[in-house]
Amino acid sequence: MSSKLMGLLSICRKAGKMVMGFEPSKEAILCGTACSVITASDISPKTEKEIRFFADKKNIPVVESDCTMEDFYNGIGKKVGLIALCDEGFSKKAIEISTENI
């Protein structure tokens, strides 16, 4: 689990720039408020395929983090498989953190 990513996501949640879960994230993508989507490493392949379908339509990056759903629960208080970030700055930093561990 990336403590940097969890710290960023915690700040993002407090700022109200985060949407958690499949349906709310899908809505944020379709409405154009989502800047990126961060997925848990243990998300179901079906859910990942579906969210990528919607994100690809709107050219929104989907990044798989090394965090599990349990890590998301411990870090932000909700057990979810994906998170849509609705702020460009938070989004860029989260993608940077998620890809530096690869």
Side-chain angles (χ1 to χ4, degrees):
M1 170 179 89
S2 170
S3 59
K4 279 181 170 179
L5 181 61
M6 280 299 116
L8 180 73
L9 293 178
S10 177
I11 293 168
C12 187
R13 182 174 189 187
K14 289 175 186 168
K17 300 295 184 180
M18 172 191 289
V19 179
M20 297 175 283
F22 179 79
E23 286 299 326
S25 294
K26 180 177 127 182
E27 255 330 285
I29 290 168
L30 296 176
C31 291
T33 57
C35 297
S36 68
V37 176
I38 308 293
T39 67
S41 59
D42 57 346
I43 194 172
S44 79
K46 180 181 183 263
T47 301
E48 184 174 2
K49 181 181 175 185
E50 286 183 46
I51 207 66
R52 283 187 186 277
F53 172 78
F54 292 109
D56 287 347
K57 280 180 148 181
K58 299 284 186 170
N59 280 338
I60 295 172
V62 177
V63 179
E64 183 180 333
S65 72
D66 62 348
C67 301
T68 63
M69 287 190 268
E70 192 66 31
D71 292 335
F72 283 159
Y73 175 74
N74 292 330
I76 57 174
K78 190 164 183 184
K79 191 172 183 178
V80 292
L82 52 96
I83 297 167
L85 302 180
C86 301
D87 178 85
E88 194 64 43
F90 285 127
S91 179
K92 285 180 183 177
K93 189 64 177 173
I95 291 169
E96 179 185 311
I97 292 169
S98 296
T99 55
E100 71 185 20
N101 295 331
I102 296 174

